[in-house]
Amino acid sequence: MGVISRKRLTEFWKREPAAKDQLKSWFTEAEDADWKNPADVKAKYGSASILKGGPVVFNICGNKYRLVVRINYDYDTVYVRFIGTHAEYDKIDAETI
């Protein structure tokens, strides 16, 4: 899968260094993934949440951080829509970003 954009992740882990290792691992795993549907994502990441309308929420560092992506399964592309602390996540509408 192509992941757009790594820059958003690197900017976040510069601000929150504790997230760096897990975000790097997630990025590598997502790039190597061949997800064809939400069930494939859940098979790899059982704690991921598939929201109404398609966004996927990943818990990073034991749910200290939240990563929201949209996945275009037909084009093998993952779009990073949000990365932030759990408190920052609570202030957004993850279904519409």
Side-chain angles (χ1 to χ4, degrees):
M1 310 282 295
V3 179
I4 302 171
S5 116
R6 181 183 175 109
K7 181 180 179 184
R8 185 175 261 175
L9 299 177
T10 58
E11 288 172 352
F12 181 75
W13 76 54
K14 286 178 184 174
R15 179 171 64 102
E16 296 283 343
K20 182 177 182 176
D21 290 342
Q22 282 197 11
L23 284 173
K24 285 177 102 176
S25 293
W26 177 88
F27 182 85
T28 300
E29 291 170 9
E31 279 199 319
D32 292 341
D34 187 26
W35 297 322
K36 297 299 181 198
N37 54 54
D40 289 346
V41 177
K42 287 292 282 184
K44 173 68 178 169
Y45 294 98
S47 65
S49 299
I50 312 298
L51 304 181
K52 185 178 181 178
V56 181
V57 181
F58 295 93
N59 299 321
I60 306 295
C61 293
N63 207 21
K64 183 176 181 181
Y65 308 108
R66 291 276 179 100
L67 171 63
V68 181
V69 304
R70 288 201 175 256
I71 302 172
N72 186 320
Y73 299 100
D74 293 333
Y75 291 97
D76 296 327
T77 306
V78 178
Y79 300 92
V80 175
R81 305 298 299 151
F82 171 85
I83 178 67
T85 65
H86 199 283
E88 291 167 337
Y89 172 83
D90 288 342
K91 296 176 183 175
I92 66 163
D93 181 357
E95 291 182 354
T96 60
I97 63 167

